Amino acid sequence: MLRYSIRSRNNSRKEAVLVRVTVKDIAKLAGVTQPTVSKALNNEPGVSEETRMRILSIAKELNYVPNLAAKRLVTRQSNCIGLIWPRIEGLFYFHLCHAIEREVTKRGLTFLISVANPAEAVHTFNEHFVDRVLFWEASGWAPDMRFVKEMEAFQGELLLMGGASLPGAHRIDIDRKAGIYKAVQHLAQLGHRKITYIGNPNDKLNGYMQGMFEFGMEHHPDYFIKRGIDGKAPEQAIQGLFARPASERPTALIIDSQGMLFQMLKWFRKLRVSIPDDLSLIVYDDVPELEDVLDVPLTTVGPNIGELARRAVEILAGELPAGQATDTDSKEQALSRGVELVIEPVLTVRQSTKSLPVS
DNA sequence: GTGCATGTTGTAGAAAGATG
DNA sequence: CATCTTTCTACAACATGCAC
């Protein structure tokens, strides 16, 4: 199979250099001109079916790969979505990326991922003419000076996922508070009165607190265990919890991130805690692995990854109308507002939660 | 050394041209 | 006159050549 055509790149030196196959090479072999090839490859009208088939077969034979740089040069758009990979541990983001990739490919767009820091990533995307950028950051995030500077040169659309916001950027937030609240509600319906929560002081904790209050749970200051700086649950706090007299020992546990789960499972084995007989367990983040990590599939609460990915790509592909203008908005304000979506986490009841026998 | 004109890349699209 | 093909040019950024 021919992979490269041999052409003289520099007439004065008369050197034959291996050059990538272009539409011109295809045109030459097909006995047509370059624009005809362009039309045939892009399914534009004005080319007979016979010629089109001939051109497509030659392109395939030469292993032709379109030059996107040249394409962007002339169309002035990239049809490419750039993703800035955040520094998040765990499986959630891995699955989200795959789901986004599927949505992007479905629409005939291309997908680039940068694992560099956000400012550097935006810089690289600018260089590559990527005009739609997806960036996951939790609320409370603020851009540094370098990021602001790079964004000034960025001539496209930015979608922030995870809760962060910037003027002019699209935004997808997750109602994490409602998610954890749903988890508490589910446990309350199963008859649990003593629920421990491991996590950080944030929206999720607020959801836990609200649930504990509204469903009249037994409250004890030790039931909230704050994660350490390393993101892990402090060993002592957990041991202390299960060393309590049976009347004060929690019957259910909610952990605020799947990233912490494997460490927790180690403690459960050590302390001989059986799920769900000794303890009902709910994990935030619904990733497929949680079906198999224990003998029983885990009950989870978290945003539906497929929905998150679909919504994100819908926004960046321009399939959703921009944010609704209010009466007080000027036209410019309404246009620069962008799309705002809030995704509600879903509770998926599996077998790690069990109803308490009525005492 | 400076400043300007021209050429280079691969592709798409408008407009003109050729064919039956 | 319809259908298909060709010619020409723009696109952005940089390299090269040449006159001053």
Side-chain angles (χ1 to χ4, degrees):
Chain A
M1 187 170 73
L2 272 171
R3 190 168 290 265
Y4 293 99
S5 64
I6 295 176
R7 259 181 283 143
S8 173
R9 172 163 268 179
N10 186 330
N11 287 330
S12 61
R13 289 189 196 145
K14 300 280 180 212
E15 282 174 357
V17 189
L18 285 174
V19 185
R20 253 175 81 153
V21 173
T22 72
V23 283
K24 282 182 189 166
D25 301 313
I26 300 169
K28 212 170 189 177
L29 280 167
V32 296
T33 55
Q34 168 261 316
T36 305
V37 175
S38 174
K39 279 180 200 164
L41 294 176
N42 293 297
N43 257 320
E44 296 287 330
V47 183
S48 66
E49 200 50 36
E50 194 194 334
T51 311
R52 187 189 304 276
M53 294 314 285
R54 191 169 78 246
I55 288 169
L56 288 177
S57 109
I58 290 170
K60 199 178 172 191
E61 176 68 20
L62 294 180
N63 199 18
Y64 167 72
V65 179
N67 184 324
L68 288 184
K71 213 168 183 164
R72 287 168 199 172
L73 184 63
V74 66
T75 59
R76 305 234 240 166
Q77 50 178 318
S78 68
N79 286 330
C80 179
I81 290 181
L83 178 92
I84 304 176
W85 187 283
R87 309 201 177 269
I88 294 178
E89 84 284 1
L91 294 160
F92 171 77
Y93 210 72
F94 170 80
H95 287 287
L96 180 61
C97 280
H98 274 279
I100 291 170
E101 194 272 338
R102 278 194 295 275
E103 292 292 331
V104 166
T105 310
K106 209 192 285 176
R107 291 164 172 80
L109 306 168
T110 54
F111 188 42
L112 278 182
I113 296 177
S114 172
V115 293
N117 75 60
E120 226 164 278
V122 172
H123 185 81
T124 306
F125 288 151
N126 276 336
E127 286 180 323
H128 288 266
F129 216 141
V130 174
D131 49 11
R132 286 171 262 188
V133 171
L134 219 164
F135 182 23
W136 181 287
E137 265 299 343
S139 60
W141 170 80
D144 59 13
M145 280 312 290
R146 248 192 93 200
F147 186 83
V148 171
K149 207 178 162 199
E150 293 296 346
M151 280 307 293
E152 275 171 16
F154 177 70
Q155 294 288 320
E157 297 187 40
L158 175 69
L159 167 60
L160 284 165
M161 294 179 88
S165 62
L166 275 180
H170 303 299
R171 191 162 173 267
I172 292 183
D173 198 0
I174 294 156
D175 194 349
R176 300 180 176 89
K177 183 181 171 185
I180 296 294
Y181 177 85
K182 277 183 192 175
V184 177
Q185 182 178 41
H186 169 60
L187 292 169
Q189 284 162 353
L190 292 175
H192 291 272
R193 306 268 300 138
K194 295 184 275 287
I195 302 173
T196 283
Y197 178 81
I198 305 179
N200 283 326
N202 53 25
D203 278 357
K204 291 178 191 167
L205 177 62
N206 292 339
Y208 166 74
M209 291 301 195
Q210 186 187 342
M212 293 296 276
F213 177 75
E214 281 186 21
F215 299 110
M217 297 295 187
E218 288 180 28
H219 181 67
H220 194 287
D222 289 355
Y223 283 176
F224 165 57
I225 298 177
K226 190 174 177 297
R227 295 166 68 176
I229 321 162
D230 56 359
K232 294 181 176 175
E235 182 182 344
Q236 274 190 329
I238 291 165
Q239 274 179 329
L241 213 55
F242 289 102
R244 285 176 170 281
S247 62
E248 285 180 22
R249 201 178 299 158
T251 60
L253 168 67
I254 301 170
I255 61 178
D256 83 336
S257 163
Q258 151 273 314
M260 206 170 22
L261 179 64
F262 296 96
Q263 180 213 2
M264 292 301 304
L265 296 181
K266 204 171 78 185
W267 293 120
F268 292 155
R269 271 197 305 275
K270 195 174 171 185
L271 297 164
R272 298 185 187 283
V273 172
S274 165
I275 311 280
D277 293 333
D278 301 329
L279 187 74
S280 283
L281 176 64
I282 300 182
V283 181
Y284 188 90
D285 279 345
D286 187 25
V287 295
E289 282 80 358
L290 299 189
E291 294 231 37
D292 295 319
V293 76
L294 269 184
D295 292 341
V296 291
L298 289 175
T299 295
T300 59
V301 66
N304 180 288
I305 290 175
E307 185 193 2
L308 216 51
R310 193 175 62 251
R311 290 301 193 172
V313 177
E314 274 173 5
I315 290 174
L316 284 176
E319 292 164 14
L320 291 181
Q324 297 295 309
T326 63
D327 293 342
T328 53
D329 274 349
S330 73
K331 202 178 172 187
E332 288 75 19
Q333 278 173 325
L335 279 173
S336 66
R337 180 181 287 271
V339 179
E340 284 217 30
L341 280 181
V342 177
I343 304 274
E344 181 119 345
V346 182
L347 178 79
T348 306
V349 178
R350 300 195 183 92
Q351 292 160 40
S352 68
T353 43
K354 187 181 165 186
S355 62
L356 278 189
V358 189
S359 53

